[in-house]
Amino acid sequence: MKILFITTQNPTKQGDLLEVSLLHGLRTVLGDNCVDYPRKKVMYHDFSDTPKDTLHGRGFSLLTTSIQDIENRDIFNQKFDYVIYGDGHMYGEEPNMEGVNELSDGNVWIIDGHDLYGNAPHKIIHEGEEIIGTQFTNCFKRELVETNDDSVYPTGFGIPEDRIREVDFSIKDQQYQKTAPAHSLFDYANEMGGGFAHHKFTIEEEYYNDLSRSWFGLTCKKGGWDCLRHYEIIAAGSLLLFRDYNNKPLFCSPQELPCFSYSTKKELDNLMSNLVVDGKPTIEYLDMVDKQRKWLYNNGTTIARAKKIIKVLKK
């Protein structure tokens, strides 16, 4: 299989997490048979146009290490089985680059990384609130709520396998991480989308160390249900607790994630006090950590996400 992946052109929008996640996985699985065009510079650690500290999440996890470059980028003298457009459409770039769609005989797919809230041409009403709906056919969508189109498939963020640490209970000395979102703690939250206000660490390993020494990693819905934080918590060896996960639409990512869901402060307190007793993890704690780690390898790595896309395309 040979894929041409059309990346976002705007140099100020290179940190789109879904585009980076899926391209990372496809390049890892397919090697030179996945060609990114224009060349996604930040993934090769070329930050000349886009300083790493300006990227969403400061490039943590997805841009820790560079990927191997491609030898042949002369795309107009090649044929591809599929053209996949990344998230450039979210930033005003039409998924119809001149002369490109013909390279796969019109077999074109689109990645849709829209949050639930914000601006987009097509919106729907879901459970009494206006959210962003499905924008395209032949599409892989992260926040998938509408399920009446059999050409739209769920996808989501992923994390590189080399970011997954061994679980070390001997270093755990705090209940939950310093970067727990305010909403997960039932505090006032004035930042439901992107931004840097909740980023307390500028050094990636310090961020992971804080997660690793935490018994629990708290998370919640923000601009959408999916967030790289979920994957980082599990990868660091903490037990993820997800506020209101039981309310998540089935096909919104992360799909079928084994976790404890809580909806009140009392439920959260009871979970934490019952799962770790006298500074030791209970059987229930250990069982759920094991399930989450298996889920991560099978569903939540960049490689796992890419393999599911490839499986859909082959079908």
Side-chain angles (χ1 to χ4, degrees), residues 24 43 199 227:
H24 185 285
M43 299 189 67
H199 295 167
C227 179

Side-chain angles (χ1 to χ4, degrees), residues 3-8 16 18-19 22-23 26 81-97 100-101 104 106-114 121 133-144 149-156 305 309-310 312-313:
I3 292 175
L4 177 60
F5 193 109
I6 305 300
T7 63
T8 300
D16 185 271
L18 187 64
E19 179 171 297
L22 298 182
L23 179 56
L26 289 167
D81 297 301
Y82 307 93
V83 169
I84 298 180
Y85 283 87
D87 275 330
H89 59 89
M90 292 167 51
Y91 311 107
E93 300 170 11
E94 289 295 323
N96 187 24
M97 186 178 288
V100 164
N101 294 2
S104 65
N107 201 346
V108 176
W109 290 74
I110 300 172
I111 303 298
D112 188 350
H114 275 108
T134 300
Q135 306 297 308
F136 308 99
T137 56
N138 279 30
C139 172
F140 296 98
K141 183 167 175 57
R142 176 169 62 90
E143 301 293 334
L144 179 57
D149 191 328
D150 60 7
S151 71
V152 179
Y153 293 83
T155 190
R305 291 294 189 189
I309 284 178
I310 290 169
V312 169
L313 295 178

Side-chain angles (χ1 to χ4, degrees), residues 21-305:
S21 291
L22 298 182
L23 179 56
H24 185 285
L26 289 167
R27 287 281 293 107
T28 303
V29 173
L30 296 175
D32 282 7
N33 284 327
C34 175
V35 180
D36 48 305
Y37 181 86
R39 180 175 180 267
K40 188 83 172 176
K41 290 183 177 181
V42 295
M43 299 189 67
Y44 304 94
H45 279 200
D46 178 352
F47 300 106
S48 57
D49 293 338
T50 315
K52 190 176 180 182
D53 280 350
T54 67
L55 294 168
H56 184 63
R58 293 195 171 96
F60 285 9
S61 302
L62 291 172
L63 299 177
T64 307
T65 57
S66 62
I67 60 174
Q68 188 173 356
D69 214 333
I70 294 172
E71 185 172 333
N72 182 10
R73 291 187 175 278
D74 184 11
I75 65 167
F76 292 103
N77 285 312
Q78 300 182 56
K79 290 294 290 183
F80 297 88
D81 297 301
Y82 307 93
V83 169
I84 298 180
Y85 283 87
D87 275 330
H89 59 89
M90 292 167 51
Y91 311 107
E93 300 170 11
E94 289 295 323
N96 187 24
M97 186 178 288
E98 184 176 356
V100 164
N101 294 2
E102 295 80 2
L103 298 176
S104 65
D105 296 325
N107 201 346
V108 176
W109 290 74
I110 300 172
I111 303 298
D112 188 350
H114 275 108
D115 279 343
L116 292 174
Y117 312 104
N119 296 319
H122 176 60
K123 292 191 175 184
I124 62 173
I125 301 298
H126 175 70
E127 295 185 351
E129 66 175 353
E130 184 181 68
I131 62 171
I132 295 175
T134 300
Q135 306 297 308
F136 308 99
T137 56
N138 279 30
C139 172
F140 296 98
K141 183 167 175 57
R142 176 169 62 90
E143 301 293 334
L144 179 57
V145 176
E146 299 170 287
T147 58
N148 56 354
D149 191 328
D150 60 7
S151 71
V152 179
Y153 293 83
T155 190
F157 296 144
I159 194 168
E161 285 189 356
D162 62 15
R163 288 281 74 201
I164 303 176
R165 296 182 170 190
E166 293 294 327
V167 181
D168 186 354
F169 295 117
S170 69
I171 65 172
K172 294 192 180 297
D173 60 2
Q174 64 183 7
Q175 197 170 42
Y176 55 83
Q177 80 275 31
K178 290 184 174 63
T179 53
H183 187 65
S184 72
L185 290 163
F186 301 91
D187 293 335
Y188 173 70
N190 60 1
E191 185 187 16
M192 292 302 286
F196 290 88
H198 60 288
H199 295 167
K200 295 180 171 62
F201 294 95
T202 58
I203 299 174
E204 182 172 340
E205 289 310 301
E206 291 182 359
Y207 168 65
Y208 269 86
N209 290 341
D210 180 69
L211 290 173
S212 294
R213 55 188 282 253
S214 304
W215 285 106
F216 303 99
L218 307 186
T219 195
C220 58
K221 169 188 172 186
K222 292 183 73 177
W225 286 97
D226 205 16
C227 179
L228 198 59
R229 179 194 320 107
H230 314 328
Y231 307 83
E232 292 167 337
I233 287 170
I234 301 172
S238 183
L239 177 63
L240 180 145
L241 303 180
F242 203 130
R243 177 176 173 177
D244 296 325
Y245 183 81
N246 288 343
N247 297 333
K248 183 187 71 66
L250 181 63
F251 293 107
C252 276
S253 187
Q255 304 93 1
E256 299 180 343
L257 169 66
C259 68
F260 293 106
S261 177
Y262 64 94
S263 297
T264 67
K265 181 69 164 59
K266 184 177 181 181
E267 287 179 354
L268 174 60
D269 291 341
N270 286 342
L271 277 172
M272 291 192 291
S273 62
N274 291 332
L275 289 168
V276 175
V277 179
D278 296 328
K280 295 181 180 180
T282 62
I283 293 175
E284 290 81 5
Y285 182 104
L286 296 173
D287 180 61
M288 186 59 81
V289 164
D290 182 61
K291 288 178 179 177
Q292 290 183 352
R293 304 273 290 183
K294 288 177 179 176
W295 179 92
L296 186 65
Y297 275 107
N298 293 330
N299 301 278
T301 66
T302 58
I303 289 175
R305 291 294 189 189

